[in-house]
Amino acid sequence: MAANNKRPLPQGEQFFTPGATGLRKAVEQRSAVPMTFLFTQVPRWVAPAVLVILLLAGFAVANPIGGLAVLPVIAFIGWLAYLSWPSLGAGGKLLRVAMLTFLVLLVATRFGAF
């Protein structure tokens, strides 16, 4: 990709959580490179398209392969939920917990837990 085709980073006051220590600081620092790559080098449609395809495969395939397809979706949504958690209100936190719970239950059904 040519340098003039790169997307700028999103506007905001800070990329990292102020005063973060321990695990949060480590995760935020290690996430900086993949997030920067995702925001600047990959076309906007790629990440949502891949996630939707994997999620649809998880719904369509009622065996462990469907469960395996949903695992990257859980990892991505969990990663974003963890990074955004400090800035969320109660409604946003509840929505993320509900989404992750639903996806974990979907994977569990695909692996025959229910």
Side-chain angles (χ1 to χ4, degrees):
M1 225 177 209
N4 59 356
N5 290 338
K6 293 182 180 177
R7 294 185 298 172
L9 290 174
Q11 296 297 317
E13 294 178 19
Q14 294 183 7
F15 188 70
F16 298 108
T17 303
T21 59
L23 179 63
R24 172 158 294 283
K25 184 176 181 179
V27 169
E28 287 179 354
Q29 288 176 341
R30 289 196 175 136
S31 295
V33 172
M35 279 194 119
T36 303
F37 178 77
L38 189 63
F39 286 139
T40 61
Q41 302 297 314
V42 178
R44 292 178 191 223
W45 59 268
V46 171
V50 169
L51 292 173
V52 166
I53 290 167
L54 290 171
L55 190 58
L56 289 174
F59 284 128
V61 180
N63 61 36
I65 294 172
L68 289 174
V70 179
L71 289 177
V73 178
I74 291 174
F76 186 78
I77 291 175
W79 174 57
L80 290 180
Y82 182 80
L83 292 175
S84 64
W85 197 262
S87 64
L88 296 174
K93 290 178 181 180
L94 180 64
L95 182 62
R96 280 155 180 83
V97 168
M99 175 62 74
L100 286 169
T101 302
F102 170 75
L103 292 173
V104 167
L105 290 173
L106 174 65
V107 169
T109 60
R110 295 305 184 242
F111 283 114
F114 298 108

